[in-house]
């Protein structure tokens, strides 16, 4: 927050007290009634606000996109977007959004460009099974959108260790590893023991019975005996990639 | 209960014992077979019985409305009413109910008039996200029906504090704040620290994975480190507004 | 927050920008290293910071008391204070604290005076059983400390309804009712149906087996079919009384 | 088991050892491949086997009915039977089943006759709300099928105590009370305090949010502070009625 | 409640209205401050109030005993009474209580006499293991106190079926069976299939690991595939015996 | 792993170090992008990789089958395969898969031949109810595919013990018993007490209310008081059969 | 059960019917009042009854030992025996028990001899950490008592895979592997992928926080993606060893 | 792993195949019987193995220290070490360990030197309350041991936002923030919204009632609406610091 700048302008008489107060409080967001858009997040956090589409109507999503574009934000990431809504948004905004890309396997859309890959190194996204790939794709698209080189390694669960060990070099040369697994989530611990970079573990809701929709994998990952592992919410590929990107862009 | 009045009339010989017994026991409700309508709730609690539509058939809802109208209750609130049922009830009662209003976003209907806003001050309804708005709308309509001025502030979750702080004056000038949030429910604690009026927290089922359908927000709110907060059931906008109205009408 | 005053003084040249910034940010609390005392809470919220003693050492509690006294706060409430720690704090501060009162049944201490009872009416604290009394006492002392008239009604659980109904007049003449119950927590719903004032329900950890340390009562209260009820954390007599006092002092 | 009779016939030479073994082991049931029908339950337990239709195909249900009829059991109770399956079974067996009655509100069917009401007294089925009636109906039909007089009292939840108290005489004159409630399930405790007969409590899955599909009511009922209450599974109207019938026929 | 009598006396002028009101409301209990004793429970429910000692101080227990004795109740049951408290109560009341018996294995005390066994038949208390005996003893003493013949069968868990089958005659000749089991609680289902009388199942907290302090046995019993079973709280031997006694004394 | 062979060839100069490294790491699996097929599992574990179809698209399943066939694996087991997908796979591969068999009741398909039954003895699959049969069928087909003689005994739950005892000889002559039960899962303990061979218990999600989708049966089986029992995931007929086959083929 | 023998003797007139009935029902156990000892378990299950000491008094344990010895059972295993009780039992029985061995690290005692190791091969007991060793020791002593060769491998958790892989030969040459792990329990899956013999997984209560006393490891193991794994109760080293011994002695 | 080096030496004939196999498998750890020490972790992961003291005896801890020292590892971190064990270890090793430092508030010991602070920037450790400080101290000591500059900010929970905002500059200039909070854990979300670096959230077991030993805070943090947050196990200060150090040393 540039509160100091505002205060200095105030002390130089360039602003009145009431104006300064207004600036401090009112400036950085837009109230659409149904949504309060954080127009300055890119200043504070380095990344524009991302649209989480779940529970929002097509109208609301389109309205937010409009406001973002008006605010000069041309590259927009939309997560948890169903195919049906994606088509509706695209149609409605056809004149304005010429660059709308939808990735059905990750239920994610990108408007505008992916940022150039300017991180320290690569982020590796690993899944235990084939069924975990949709969560992985959300992570992959997010990481690329945020300007990272991404490597994908799928279906290397611990019941066939050699599949995983064969990729040891790829894993060891990563700057961050995102480990995605459902069922018992053991992959996080095994990878945590192999690499010396941070591991972000994503439990998935893949499984049945006593997996309790991802609870088993979540608890497993939280209790990992390996070092360097932290965990995000079940199926939260986006969140893992966001943090991985922060790490990969650390200065 | 006016038991004393009945007893005094009994002692003056204006009533027989068996009649008095009947009055004490039988008077205040109507048994429709499938529903026992509390005809005197407005005497005891100051508010007429509200119809909770979930799990009731169109016939049952219509029957209860009829009975309430016969009993002289012209202003009726119906909550958890699906659009489909709302249409069916409206059609069926078309001749009788000229003043049926349905609010789809809050799944709530009002027959008759909203009470005049005669509370001490205003009730402010705040949500953390856009997806929490349906629960907020149930609260807003309920609070208005019960005679309260209502202010609505939406999508000011704690991840962008300035959005919330910009509304600090609105919050601080409220008599009661209803805080509605899913996911981690942190909004309740932050608002609790800002205001000096009672805060009623409503966890919502918005979220996924480890939100466990609102459990995370519920536990978060129950454990708030801020003072002056109490909690109602997940998604219970109605209940929060009802208590807020009681507080706002305290004498 | 008197931010506007500070800004006006800044614009009149009475303050430099850096000083104003300092005032805005640094003024309202004291950092003791282990605790950051909110010196202006009484300005913002109308009530001084309360010391929650659980997990704090005798030294820490004594240090916080010292700081509060230096800051001009002479009336202090300490909750969750074991008898052992109470004695240690009293001995250590014997020269300074001449007015330390410890209430063993509510594990609560008060330094200085209880505020005069200047609320709208009385707060009634009701328990379902004898075993719930310690939680009730925490509520009673808190409510009195905050300036409320308090009525206590104990052991009137719903398995003997006449015990409760006999107190109906007391309940109905209350401005707020705090309902405290363990086991199945049914008392909250029954009282909620009897009174027309707000009811704050406190589940207690009393019970065994499937009470799961208060979970049964908590869920029961959250799902109450009666109107006007909200809930606080298990055993949180303090929190219930704090909100009740806010309601009873509403203006 | 008439094992002694078989053994005596064996010792009198009326049976060979291998035959006796067969009789002891093989006689009392029929193996249909997909179901092992307990042909002698009516001898051991006084009641014929009841068909629990959930998870059984129309073919399986029809096959079991056939076998029961062949075995001389003409009065058959079928629970958890969807309307769709009921129609299919009725059509398929149209020639054989002339006396098939389906009760949609309790999802229960009866083939043949209800037993005459020969219990000690009446069983009273009480619900807290209108939405609990389907579970109540399962109980009512079961109790009648098993030969009991049944009284039904619906929608008398504890938030309007006078509705319940007005039925106190009906409750007090019952031999067994089946109390059915969702949400917080407080009705069981209140009734338990009013009556001096056994109370069987049935939690229902009615509610939302922190009712967790009946868990709140279940825990509430298990922790009841009233005496004389026991509990069956969530929504298990059948099980409550079965035990109530046993009690009402005790000799 | 003899409300009708009171009303009739009122209509005959034998009582004034205010007196009648007092009688109706105030008569049936004594308020000791910390406990509200239900002096008329024996009239309403046929059994005097029982003292649940957990969470009550020695002073409170002694005070309640005094009041009960003054009220003419000479036979008193005290449950959940630790040996230490039992000794303290006995010493304190030595002059008054000449007939105090403490049963350490069931943590239960009886003052005065056990009622004569005047039930319909016998109540059988069965445990799966030796470790379940303390819960069984609470049930046995309660049942005898309430006037029942009791048979005890211990350590006949389902892993050695012949132990159980050997007692089949004893079980089948019971009027009520109380089945007490920890671990997996399977005993209830097996006994439920053997007998044709009501079975009351008591899960115990015996076990370790995934027994989760009795949760496994509780869920198992609630889901029993056998008919005629209802369940009480974990370790609640008293509650099972109370209901069993009601059943055994049904008229 | 034939690592030693590779190393020996390396030391004899038949391989270069980089080649050896490649062989060790890369050889035993195929990376299809979406799946990493373990081509050597049959060498290491004695059984080819099985296709778990849940969460895989028709294309993915077909691709994996192709690769397995190319790798010389002609007998393939596919589990958790919906009828819809089964038809799609069969159609798509019509030219290649001449020997595709789909078993709808167990949602399982087999390509090629069942292995000859060459185990030590027979595996017996027992269910408590008719509704548990689909899980049983998954186990039966798996066990047969892996080369075992299988006996099926259905609907012999513990509420009718004689049904079970009549099959005692069949059970006692088994080498492994797979016990499948929902609801309270008591069957495992009773069978565990009858037989002297290993029992593998499979809880099923059959039931309602407090069965919590198989949790009750799972906990029950884990806490079994009988010896020789271990447990697999809820509804995991495949897993039980796999381990049973290992036991039945032990050498 | 040798019921056929008894029946044949009956049919030959060597027994009367009442005697036969007695034999069938009464013979195979001893009722000590507090315990019903299964005297014929060794006939039925091949292993004598084992004493589970938890929740049994010293007197009860000693009484059971006496009875077993009288019954000719000289080799006795006692599990969950605290050191204190072990000393008390040893002292009390000093004259009779000359061969009492107590293993403090596994809280297990053996009276008499370990059976000769006559299994098919060896059972390997593996732990993830040092803290899991007490559970492992219970398994080791049980397996040896039951006549098995046992190999112990400790502290080879998956965070350091090479520690585990170095023991691959030992694991692969086992007939059964017992895998014991707390925290996230991933060891079971990794071992399951390495070996082709049955794996019995034992979750332990080792860990803190979200391990929830072993729940995390339990769920992890139940959801293992590897084949051939089954699970026993948390900390149940005895149960795992018992089943492992059955497998290792299969004929 | 230097497997390639070994292979190259093998191909040059400097090693035999069997020796190479041994080296690959056996070299990198020491088996002490009760512990398998990973002697090469510092090569693979950059950090030596850390001793987790919980559940290890004094003898075991001392033995592991000895082995590490012999292996040339002079700087050792020991976590979860009680004061009692710390003293015992120090006494026992007095001759060898001249540089043993014990930090009671974090239950952590360091042998040897803290690494020089050579990270990219500083790690900031923030707590919501005073009671969370012990977990914070574990994180602080770990981070310093691993060579990081650490800033500590305590007791700045969200109920007094200005306390937190006053430290905004400190937070914004951090490279990683470790956020430690019990109760409702809202601090993580608020900080996540303020900073643009990775936030690692540590839920603590501080709280009571519905905090369920940290579950509320854990779920809250997993569901955070802010970006850039990941979570470790309840009370796992060590794990958070370890990952933070990896991030702060990324290259």
């Amino acid at each position: 927050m540039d509160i100091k700048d505002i205060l200095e302008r105030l002390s130089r008489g360039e602003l009145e007290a009431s104006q300064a107060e207004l600036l401090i409080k009112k400036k950085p967001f837009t109230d659409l009634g149904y949504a309060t858009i954080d127009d300055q997040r890119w200043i504070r956090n380095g990344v524009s606000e991302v649209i989480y589409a779940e529970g929002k109507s097509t109208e609301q999503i389109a309205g937010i996109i409009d406001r973002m574009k008006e605010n000069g934000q041309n590259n927009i990431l939309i997560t948890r977007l169903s195919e049906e809504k994606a088509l509706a948004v695209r149609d409605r905004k056809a004149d304005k959004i010429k660059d709308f890309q939808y990735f059905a396997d990750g239920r994610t859309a990108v408007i505008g460009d992916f940022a150039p890959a300017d991180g320290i190194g690569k982020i590796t996204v690993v899944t235990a099974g084939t069924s975990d790939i949709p969560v992985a794709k959300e992570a992959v698209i997010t990481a690329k959108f945020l300007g990272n080189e991404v490597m994908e390694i799928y279906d290397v669960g611990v019941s066939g260790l050699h599949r995983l060990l064969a990729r040891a070099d790829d894993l060891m040369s990563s700057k961050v590893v995102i480990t995605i697994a459902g069922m018992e989530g053991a992959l996080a611990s095994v990878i945590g023991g192999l690499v010396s970079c941070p591991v972000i573990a994503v439990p998935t809701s893949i499984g049945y019975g006593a997996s309790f929709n991802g609870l088993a994998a979540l608890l497993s990952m939280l209790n990992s005996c390996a070092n360097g592992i932290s965990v995000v919410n079940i199926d939260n590929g986006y969140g893992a990639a966001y943090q991985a990107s922060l790490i990969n862009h650390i200065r």
Side-chain angles (χ1 to χ4, degrees), chain A:
Chain A
M1 276 174 283
D2 47 355
I3 184 170
K4 199 168 178 178
D5 293 347
I6 296 171
L7 294 179
E8 280 172 357
R9 285 207 279 155
L10 178 66
S11 73
R12 289 196 299 270
E14 298 168 22
L15 289 172
E16 289 177 59
S18 64
Q19 287 175 321
E21 191 187 18
L22 205 72
L23 267 177
I24 290 169
K25 287 183 176 167
K26 289 287 163 51
K27 194 160 144 278
F29 58 85
T30 305
D31 187 344
L32 298 181
Y34 54 83
T36 308
I37 301 174
D38 190 342
D39 295 331
Q40 299 186 340
R41 182 167 292 180
W42 61 275
I43 302 175
R44 294 195 329 281
N45 285 7
V47 180
S48 302
E49 195 161 31
V50 171
I51 304 175
Y52 173 79
E54 191 89 52
K56 294 200 177 71
S57 67
T58 305
E59 289 71 22
Q60 291 173 336
I61 296 167
I64 295 170
I65 293 172
D66 280 356
R67 171 60 199 161
M68 283 174 142
K69 292 223 155 208
E70 288 163 27
N71 196 35
Q73 181 174 350
N74 290 311
N75 305 323
I76 298 172
L77 179 68
I78 312 174
T79 63
R80 305 264 160 168
L81 184 67
S82 67
E83 188 140 22
E84 189 187 14
K85 275 190 199 169
L87 294 175
V89 168
R90 179 150 44 178
D91 290 351
R92 169 182 297 255
K93 313 260 68 172
D95 51 333
K96 292 195 186 164
I97 315 183
K98 294 200 168 54
D99 48 2
F100 183 101
Q101 292 174 271
Y102 183 64
F103 303 90
D105 49 2
R107 297 209 310 150
T108 305
V110 168
I111 297 172
D113 301 321
F114 285 77
D118 58 355
I120 298 172
K122 77 177 177 212
I123 295 172
T124 301
V125 176
V126 191
T127 74
T130 298
S131 310
D132 300 314
I133 293 178
V135 176
K137 286 296 183 187
E138 187 184 90
V140 168
I141 296 160
T142 299
K144 288 184 174 169
F145 179 81
L146 297 174
N148 298 279
E149 179 190 352
V150 179
M151 167 172 284
E152 302 170 58
I153 302 177
Y154 296 146
D155 192 27
V156 291
V158 300
S159 67
L161 263 189
H162 54 295
R163 299 184 302 188
L164 181 65
L165 295 179
R167 306 301 295 267
D169 286 353
D170 289 328
L171 290 167
M172 287 177 183
S173 61
S174 307
K175 289 303 168 199
V176 191
V177 175
I178 296 174
T179 302
I180 300 173
M183 294 180 168
E184 92 279 53
L187 186 61
S189 292
V190 172
I191 288 181
L194 286 177
V195 302
S196 56
C197 71
V199 173
I200 303 174
V202 189
T204 72
S205 52
I206 295 304
Y208 62 90
S211 89
F212 296 124
N213 301 313
L215 179 63
L218 171 62
L219 293 182
S220 177
M221 287 167 168
L222 285 168
N223 285 284
S224 175
C225 57
N227 288 320
I229 298 178
S230 63
V231 186
V232 297
N233 195 3
I234 297 164
D235 290 338
N236 190 6
Y238 164 75
Y242 193 100
Q243 198 188 49
S245 178
L246 288 185
I247 296 171
N248 194 34
H249 285 84
I250 210 168
R251 272 175 300 265

